[in-house]
Amino acid sequence: MRIINGPVQDGTAGKAGSQFSGTAFPYLTMASTDGVTINTVNFTPGARTYWHHHENGQILQVLAGRGLIQAEGEVNPRVLNAGDTVWCPPGERHWHGAAADSFMTHTAISLGPTHWAEPVEESDYTKTADLRKE
């Protein structure tokens, strides 16, 4: 058994900017253990991940603020609010981040390796993000 106390974390999760557009602060809550990695990410308004997918899925728990998430093939992103939990199934290509006018903090529980792809185009984000103020 391992207990990870709130103020204690395992360091930063990669280089900020290598998997994010905008300013995001990823913290490695728990380094990969039995194929599970837990990160807490603070996103500034408009910041978001690149497109990516997870070999065995991902669970997102929104802790604060308002964000957006979009799976490949969806026309518009969906709104995330504090208290929301999201299941991203294995192999589903998606991105997530803060709304254009809000900070967002989430905990990401990634199951298996994460496969990173290209950034979300600014024009794709801005054409729908301002409409998603639910």
Side-chain angles (χ1 to χ4, degrees), residues 26-48:
Y27 299 97
L28 186 58
T29 304
M30 183 182 82
S32 188
T33 303
D34 297 328
V36 176
T37 303
I38 303 174
N39 295 299
T40 300
V41 183
N42 297 313
F43 294 89
T44 61
R48 57 202 174 271

Side-chain angles (χ1 to χ4, degrees), residues 104-134:
M104 184 192 61
T105 300
H106 73 35
T107 295
I109 303 164
S110 301
L111 310 173
T114 301
H115 302 279
W116 292 99
E118 73 280 359
V120 174
E121 294 293 330
E122 186 68 23
S123 60
D124 291 336
Y125 178 82
T126 57
K127 74 179 176 184
T128 57
D130 290 337
L131 304 174
R132 311 307 300 167
K133 296 179 182 178
E134 296 176 4

Side-chain angles (χ1 to χ4, degrees), residues 47-90:
R48 57 202 174 271
T49 67
Y50 285 15
W51 285 100
H52 62 284
H53 69 275
H54 306 274
E55 194 167 294
N56 297 310
Q58 183 181 50
I59 300 163
L60 300 172
Q61 294 181 308
V62 181
L63 304 175
R66 191 175 66 260
L68 300 170
I69 188 167
Q70 186 174 20
E72 187 172 51
E74 293 179 342
V75 176
N76 290 318
R78 291 190 261 172
V79 174
L80 298 173
N81 291 294
D84 289 349
T85 299
V86 178
W87 167 243
C88 301

